[in-house]
Every structure is written in C-alpha cells, then in structure tokens.
Amino acid sequence: MSKYIMAMDEGTTSARCVIYDKKGNVISSAQREFRQYFPEDGWVEHDATEIYATQVSVAQEALLKQNLTYRDIAALGITNQRETTVVWDKATGEPIYHAIVWQCRRTSEYAETLKAKGYEEMIRQKTGLIIDAYFSGTKIKWILDHVDGARKRAERGELLFGTVESWLIWKMTGGKVHVTDYSNAARTMLFNIHALGWDEEILELLDIPKCMLPMPVECSGNFGETIPELFGGPIPITGAAGDQQAALFGETCFREGEAKCTYGTGSFLLLNTGEKPVFSDAGLLTTIAWGLDGKVNYALEGSAFVCGAAIQWLRDEMQFMMESPESEQMAIDAGSSEGVYMVPAFTGIGAPYWEPDARGAIFGITRATGRGQIVRATLESLAYQNEDLLSAMAKDLGKRIVALKVDGGACRNDFLMQFQSDISDTEIVRCKSIESTSLGAAYLAGLAVDYYTSKEDIIENKEVDKVFTPAMTSEERKHMLSGWHRAVRAAIYMTN
C-alpha cells in the first residue's frame, strides 16, 4: 500500500494541499491564494479556471517538497468551499462565467420573490434549507438568465453545473466523471435530502435543466482517477465533502450529539444529529453531514458569514496590525472592549437572524475608544455569533451543548477561545491538529481504499491540545449578551 493520503482543500481565498500519513501527521503541504472579484456591491466571484490551476499547482508543490510521486499516494480526498457555483461548457471545459461565490448576494431579490410566493416551507421540508441567495440554486438560475444563450445551451445538454469539488473532479479526470457528493449536493437548494436525489419540483420552479447536474454519490467511494499528466501517473480520487462537513468528520464527531465549530473565513457550527434529519425552529439549517457505507448522517448547521474575514479586515483595510495573530495581544492589552460592540455583517447576517441585506456596524464608540477596543470588540463579536448558534441548537434539541470541538485558523487565538467558553458557558476543546477540514477529506478518501479499516482507527489519531472552561459569572454573561443583541437589532434596523 502507498504511504500517504493527499487532501485538496479548496477554500474561499486560497487553495491548499496537505499530504498526511496514517496517524494524521502532516508530511507536506502547500498553499496559494487566488484572486477575489467584487464587480458590484455584495457581489463576489472567482475565476474557476484559476481555482483549478492553483489547486493542481499546490498539489504538485506538496509532492515535490518531499520528493514524492503519485506512487506514494494511496488516494486523494477533496474538500471545498460550498455553494460556490460553476457552470462550464461540456465540450471545451471552459466556464461560461466566473464562479459565483457562496458569499455573493446578487440573487437576494429573487430569493425574496420565492418566499413571497409561498415556496419557503416546501423547499425547507425537501432540502432542509431556507430560501436564500447563499445557496447554489439561485446562482445557477442567474447564470442561465444573464449569460447570452446559456439557457438554451443548458437545455441542449451542452453545459454542466458543479460546486467546486464537482468541477475539480471533472477537470482532474479529464472530463470523464461528473459527480457531486451528498454533502455538497445538500447545499444547492435543489437536492431532496430524504430521497437523496435532485428534486424535480424545485428544478421546474427555478427553471434549471436536470441534464446539467452532476450525479449525487456518497462522500467516500471511487470517483475516478486523475489524468496521468497532472502528477506523472494516476491517483485515485476517493473522498469528497463540503468543507464544514469534512471538518465535522475530521474532528471525529461521529456520534449523534457531537458538535464542532470551524473558525475560517466564516464561522460554521455543525451538530451531528445521527441518521435522521432534525428540523429547526430557530433558523438553523438541516443538512447532510456525509454519506458513508450505505448510510447517511445528518446535521444541524448554523453559520456566521464573517469570522476570520473580520480579522483580515482589521489587518488589511483598517491597518490596525501587520499580522492577524497580533489581534490576540491587542485584545488582551485593551483589558476591555469598554462597551464597544462590533456587528461584522459585511455580507449580511446568517443564522438565526437571516438578514441578507444587513451591513456591518460598530456601536458604543467614545472619544476614548482606540484600536485595542475595536480589535477586542471584533474578536468578541465572533464568539457572540457562535453563542447565538449554540443557543439556537440547544433550543431545537431541548438541552445544552456542554462541549464544542474547534478548528480553523482563528481557534489558535487563546483570547477568542476563552471568551467563547465564557460567553457560551461551554467547554471548548482544541486538538493539536486544527486542520480538521483537510484531515476529514483525507479520512474519507482513506476509508474507501482500506487505508483506514474503520472510524475507530481515525478516533485514535486525535490528540487534545487545550481545553478552555468557563470563568465568567452568569450576571456578566447576561449583561454582555444583552448588549450584543441590542447591537444586532440596531444593525438590522439601520438596514430596514
């Protein structure tokens, strides 16, 4: 058997490749950013061809760094930014328009029209999702409606759609395989999570030809091989999952009731609900966690659109610091946010509010407010958003979530993790490896080729780095949360 597993982690701002050994240790890695396009306010796009080229180049770099070849790789797993929509020419393999990114709000008005016509409950019951511009369905429709000749070409079977993992698999197999895994399919607003297939009624409603859609498959299995010219020889592609589901798997949240939060560009909190979907009364999404060995695990999910992106904003636009990690010490030095609240609604507010048109705001500024208070308030806002999600989940489940596993770049920030524990009155568990997203893709790929014989093999790999426990009084917690909720209501009021 080959020694290693390769994981491709195609994110919102960069493409990464990580090569793991059986214990989950990183053998080699490479990462490169790609360009972000903002053609109009609230619009976000990527060049899908650049994504593919960047992803392949970092995989080649990761192999070369350790003098590895395709023969050293047992299998390849892919994890990806979800909902981002690519439509391409079946014959040429060229995208007909930029990829429309999950953050993009251009279809908000159309989504509101669907709600006004009374389709919200039907779509929620079938897909587990609310009607929102966040998901792929309205983005596909926008491309078909706005690119000359696209709809007729799609109806003739000349165009294909895919989320990013589907696009990468199609490209890397030389156009031989057009599939999507269940976890990504469940994020399109077109997929029936009960029947595990594309929903004809929703496709007709959005006027999307079924022939352009990929075949839905489990998250671990045979998805074809990479064409030899990419890596010198074929590598089996055997795992795929959306980034947040991959992180849930990478954190080994295999049992019902286990939860994780990923602090990435956005913040994503998922709770494994077992083999039955749980529908939320608190604005959370019901989605597929993964399909494996003929079974499907479901999850409750809440997301905050802006998390690490807020720290990047402090660094790049506000120029409050040179490097993102400096935010931790700045927050500590500030001592307190001094009543300042930051609502980081740069691209709307997600669950449990779902206010797509809301925009960011800072409240409570005085003449004494400095950079430190704003930095601290921004970090605190990330924890407040997650507390809103945890509270919503607890309401749906009828019980508190007493422990939360964390991963993603911002979870390295001890100040943020302690504040999260304090404000949520919840134990926060950070493992030594916080790269759970790519690790989850590697685990799924490894299971398909018997690199791992069972999920128990995987559980043995996890090592805890630090546990954060609550140290805030209930009175202080209530006071700070009250201020946060007033700030959110004010931000929404300003929009309306």
Side-chain angles (χ1 to χ4, degrees):
M1 179 179 286
S2 300
K3 298 176 183 178
Y4 307 119
I5 294 285
M6 175 185 285
M8 290 184 173
D9 183 357
E10 199 297 300
T12 305
T13 58
S14 68
R16 298 174 65 245
C17 178
V18 186
I19 297 174
Y20 290 101
D21 68 10
K22 196 167 185 177
K23 291 294 185 181
N25 298 313
V26 175
I27 300 303
S28 184
S29 67
Q31 181 171 359
R32 192 168 305 150
E33 292 187 354
F34 50 84
R35 186 174 174 185
Q36 309 291 304
Y37 295 85
F38 307 98
E40 295 186 26
D41 180 42
W43 291 31
V44 190
E45 296 178 357
H46 292 157
D47 181 340
T49 300
E50 183 186 4
I51 285 177
Y52 171 66
T54 305
Q55 187 64 74
V56 169
S57 69
V58 294
Q60 293 168 340
E61 182 181 343
L63 288 169
L64 288 170
K65 278 183 175 180
Q66 296 297 326
N67 294 316
L68 302 176
T69 74
Y70 73 94
R71 293 185 181 90
D72 295 302
I73 306 301
L76 164 61
I78 301 172
T79 183
N80 57 286
Q81 51 166 315
R82 306 171 303 169
E83 297 97 17
T84 294
T85 297
V86 187
V87 176
W88 67 94
D89 186 298
K90 185 177 181 179
T92 67
E94 293 297 317
I96 67 167
Y97 189 82
H98 272 171
I100 301 181
V101 180
W102 60 273
Q103 298 162 312
C104 188
R105 305 308 303 171
R106 76 184 65 189
T107 58
S108 292
E109 186 175 338
Y110 175 67
E112 291 302 316
T113 299
L114 290 176
K115 289 181 187 178
K117 291 182 178 179
Y119 292 112
E120 192 159 20
E121 189 59 23
M122 179 271 286
I123 287 177
R124 179 174 174 267
Q125 288 299 324
K126 290 186 172 189
T127 69
L129 309 177
I130 66 164
I131 295 175
D132 194 80
Y134 183 33
F135 306 108
S136 311
T138 61
K139 302 179 195 299
I140 302 170
K141 177 176 172 57
W142 190 95
I143 292 174
L144 296 181
D145 287 344
H146 289 83
V147 176
D148 287 345
R151 185 169 297 285
K152 289 184 178 179
R153 293 176 64 197
E155 291 169 350
R156 292 196 298 263
E158 297 173 8
L159 301 181
L160 299 177
F161 153 75
T163 42
V164 171
E165 97 295 347
S166 182
W167 162 247
L168 292 176
I169 291 170
W170 192 88
K171 291 290 284 185
M172 288 194 295
T173 60
K176 293 179 181 177
V177 180
H178 187 216
V179 297
T180 183
D181 70 276
Y182 288 161
S183 71
N184 275 292
R187 310 299 298 186
T188 60
M189 212 176 78
L190 306 173
F191 189 72
N192 190 309
I193 62 173
H194 312 284
L196 303 179
W198 302 115
D199 192 273
E200 300 280 359
E201 184 180 3
I202 300 174
L203 292 178
E204 184 177 351
L205 175 64
L206 270 63
D207 198 14
I208 294 174
K210 188 177 181 180
C211 60
M212 68 187 298
L213 304 181
M215 180 175 70
V217 296
E218 291 189 355
C219 298
S220 182
N222 180 13
F223 307 148
E225 297 179 330
T226 63
I227 51 177
E229 49 264 42
L230 294 182
F231 306 113
I235 296 176
I237 306 172
T238 60
D243 51 10
Q244 303 316 317
Q245 290 96 329
L248 189 70
F249 202 85
E251 286 287 1
T252 66
C253 294
F254 300 146
R255 293 186 295 268
E256 181 179 341
E258 294 186 322
K260 72 88 199 174
C261 183
T262 296
Y263 296 78
T265 302
S267 175
F268 298 88
L269 204 153
L270 271 73
L271 173 76
N272 186 337
T273 63
E275 294 180 28
K276 291 184 179 180
V278 173
F279 285 84
S280 174
D281 293 323
L284 301 177
L285 306 177
T286 302
T287 195
I288 291 177
W290 51 75
L292 184 65
D293 296 331
K295 297 179 181 179
V296 170
N297 271 63
Y298 294 88
L300 274 177
E301 175 175 334
S303 61
F305 298 150
V306 173
C307 181
I311 303 173
Q312 292 174 334
W313 172 76
L314 291 173
R315 181 194 67 193
D316 299 338
E317 275 71 38
M318 303 306 291
Q319 297 184 3
F320 281 2
M321 64 200 75
M322 294 294 293
E323 301 292 339
S324 295
E326 294 173 34
S327 62
E328 179 178 356
Q329 193 59 49
M330 290 181 72
I332 293 170
D333 291 344
S336 167
S337 57
E338 301 293 346
V340 175
Y341 286 90
M342 157 67 160
V343 181
F346 299 160
T347 54
I349 302 177
Y353 305 102
W354 292 109
E355 291 287 347
D357 297 322
R359 289 294 178 264
I362 302 176
F363 298 98
I365 294 176
T366 69
R367 179 63 182 83
T369 300
R371 290 186 302 171
Q373 285 74 35
I374 293 176
V375 169
R376 185 172 176 125
T378 301
L379 290 178
E380 290 176 348
S381 76
L382 311 185
Y384 285 133
Q385 291 180 118
N386 289 329
E387 164 53 18
D388 285 341
L389 300 176
L390 283 167
S391 294
M393 285 185 176
K395 183 178 178 181
D396 289 323
L397 293 174
K399 58 183 178 181
R400 286 182 59 242
I401 297 168
V402 296
L404 181 67
K405 297 180 180 180
V406 296
D407 58 73
C411 87
R412 294 187 182 95
N413 188 313
D414 281 5
F415 167 80
L416 174 58
M417 292 301 97
Q418 183 59 55
F419 188 77
Q420 185 73 75
S421 178
D422 288 341
I423 208 66
S424 299
D425 194 22
T426 297
E427 183 177 272
I428 303 296
V429 181
R430 183 176 67 199
C431 288
K432 287 185 178 179
S433 172
I434 64 169
E435 299 298 336
S436 298
T437 304
S438 59
L439 199 52
Y443 287 154
L444 286 164
L447 285 167
V449 295
D450 291 328
Y451 187 81
Y452 297 106
T453 58
S454 69
K455 287 185 284 190
E456 284 66 33
D457 282 355
I458 295 169
I459 292 172
E460 291 179 5
N461 283 351
K462 300 300 287 185
E463 294 182 65
V464 173
D465 170 51
K466 190 170 183 178
V467 176
F468 299 85
T469 56
M472 184 181 285
T473 66
S474 59
E475 290 77 12
E476 186 179 2
R477 185 180 303 113
K478 288 177 183 177
H479 174 74
M480 297 186 78
L481 282 171
S482 176
W484 162 251
H485 292 138
R486 285 198 304 272
V488 172
R489 289 194 299 270
I492 294 171
Y493 178 81
M494 288 169 59
T495 303
N496 296 328

